Amino acid sequence: MNTLRTAMLLAAMTALFMGVGFLIGGSGGMMIALLIAAGTNLFSYWNADKMVLSMNHAVEVDEKNAPEYYAIVQALAKQAGLPMPRTYLIDSPQPNAFATGRNPQNAAVAASTGLLQRLTHEEVAAVMAHELAHVQHRDTLTMTIVATFAGAISMLGNFAFFLGGNRDNNNPFGFVGVLAAMIVAPFAAMIVQMAVSRTREYEADRRGAEICGHPLWLASALDKIARGAERIPNSDAERNPAMAHLFIINPLHGERMDSLFSTHPSTENRIAALQAMAREMGDGASQATQRQAPAQADEQQQAGPWGKRATPEPATEPSPGKPNPWGRNPTGPKGRWS
């Protein structure tokens, strides 16, 4: 079913791309857009995950230079029956995370240092379980392709005026067509992103809660991430807004999460669904935890995920693994998921 949905999505995005080409350059522009769309499809399938990781300046880590973060993902992947994905860290103070990759065998998960520093160990585990749920549902290919196409369509719309200004370009709609391409194309791409992302987030929330076993861990994490995203900008996401739907929470600074045209469903609705799931599961321990969260104190004063100090003690010996890109272990001492 996911394969069919991905094929239908590719067809829809290709048709949208060709429509923009027709509005800009008539039949010639449509054929050029078709060729570009075919190339984009091939590129997206094989390389979109690498591009998304690169655009977010994600750095791959392993069990030697990020042992606790790696151990969390490893334990959850085993719990879900998935191959171990590649693990990445993003040096960003905004708490957030995403998954990418064309299939579970070539998947990658990425978490920001802000996520690891601001959330508890259990909340981090719940977030990574959510991302692994996307991998298990094979959402990562679809969502990454949508990000690539949306970016390309938006860029084409931005250049529509310059590309469609020639009277000899066989554009049957003239300036009206160019104007429509400039306005309608990015809007249509956003609608497709919204349709793809919103339902998948609810499904990933449920499956992620099943993987980690505690729905309210994820509910508490979503609350903290949403409040953090409202206050802390993510410069990479701001420069590339077409990637916003990849993240567990909309990373665009100042965006209301319950907006009609948001790529994500309302955080409050997601939390309510997880709370209902916890009641169904009889997760008493999680419910007791939820009564204490979300915390009312300023997050700047909150304890780190593994104690009051989020900065761990320096390692006694240099690690022989991959170099730590920030000169420290951003994941803290061992916790229950290690």
Side-chain angles (χ1 to χ4, degrees):
M1 179 59 71
N2 274 336
T3 301
L4 178 61
R5 288 197 300 180
T6 300
M8 292 175 63
L9 177 66
L10 283 174
M13 297 298 282
T14 300
L16 178 59
F17 208 77
M18 292 174 64
V20 174
F22 184 74
L23 288 173
I24 295 174
S27 57
M30 183 173 65
M31 293 307 299
I32 293 173
L34 176 61
L35 294 176
I36 295 175
T40 303
N41 281 333
L42 291 174
F43 176 85
S44 298
Y45 183 81
W46 293 106
N47 299 297
D49 57 335
K50 302 180 185 67
M51 185 176 70
V52 168
L53 291 165
S54 175
M55 292 170 72
N56 284 280
H57 299 95
V59 177
E60 188 170 5
V61 294
D62 57 19
E63 70 276 13
K64 295 184 175 65
N65 58 9
E68 321 326 326
Y69 168 50
Y70 187 92
I72 288 174
V73 177
Q74 187 176 49
L76 291 168
K78 183 178 179 180
Q79 178 75 12
L82 289 169
M84 178 64 186
R86 290 170 290 139
T87 51
Y88 286 80
L89 281 175
I90 304 167
D91 192 16
S92 169
Q94 183 190 90
N96 230 317
F98 67 86
T100 185
R102 62 182 180 272
N103 54 40
Q105 290 71 36
N106 295 277
V109 294
S112 69
T113 51
L115 181 91
L116 302 179
Q117 291 166 351
R118 292 173 180 273
L119 271 62
T120 69
H121 210 111
E122 292 76 15
E123 290 164 347
V124 171
V127 170
M128 303 320 297
H130 170 100
E131 300 307 331
L132 289 175
H134 279 308
V135 173
Q136 191 170 56
H137 292 163
R138 296 180 180 265
D139 294 338
T140 50
L141 172 62
T142 302
M143 295 169 71
T144 304
I145 286 176
V146 169
T148 304
F149 257 106
I153 291 171
S154 297
M155 180 180 67
L156 191 58
N158 291 335
F159 284 106
F161 181 80
F162 301 100
L163 296 175
N166 190 345
R167 294 182 179 179
D168 299 325
N169 65 1
N170 195 30
N171 179 355
F173 298 100
F175 182 74
V176 174
V178 174
L179 186 63
M182 294 172 61
I183 298 174
V184 175
F187 181 78
M190 180 186 65
I191 294 296
V192 173
Q193 284 181 286
M194 180 185 69
V196 168
S197 179
R198 294 176 79 130
T199 57
R200 291 172 188 265
E201 290 303 320
Y202 282 118
E203 294 172 2
D205 283 347
R206 171 167 284 277
R207 179 56 185 149
E210 292 173 350
I211 293 172
C212 72
H214 294 271
L216 294 184
W217 289 0
L218 182 55
S220 179
L222 290 176
D223 178 77
K224 288 185 179 180
I225 296 171
R227 288 187 287 120
E230 289 176 352
R231 295 169 40 213
I232 305 170
N234 182 328
S235 56
D236 290 329
E238 296 290 344
R239 284 192 295 267
N240 303 285
M243 298 187 303
H245 72 288
L246 292 174
F247 289 82
I248 188 171
I249 290 290
N250 191 338
L252 302 181
H253 187 50
E255 290 288 333
R256 284 191 55 80
M257 302 307 165
D258 57 355
S259 170
L260 176 62
F261 299 110
S262 173
T263 57
H264 291 68
S266 163
T267 302
E268 290 78 7
N269 289 345
R270 294 170 70 182
I271 291 174
L274 288 165
Q275 290 172 340
M277 183 179 178
R279 289 192 292 271
E280 293 173 3
M281 294 173 60
D283 190 2
S286 288
Q287 292 181 33
T289 301
Q290 180 64 13
R291 282 194 290 269
Q292 301 174 5
Q296 300 301 316
D298 185 356
E299 286 189 44
Q300 298 289 350
Q301 302 300 323
Q302 287 180 355
W306 298 282
K308 292 185 178 180
R309 298 187 54 155
T311 304
E313 297 180 1
T316 56
E317 298 180 0
S319 170
K322 296 176 183 177
N324 190 324
W326 302 292
R328 67 184 190 278
N329 175 6
T331 58
K334 289 186 178 181
R336 60 181 297 177
W337 275 91
S338 302

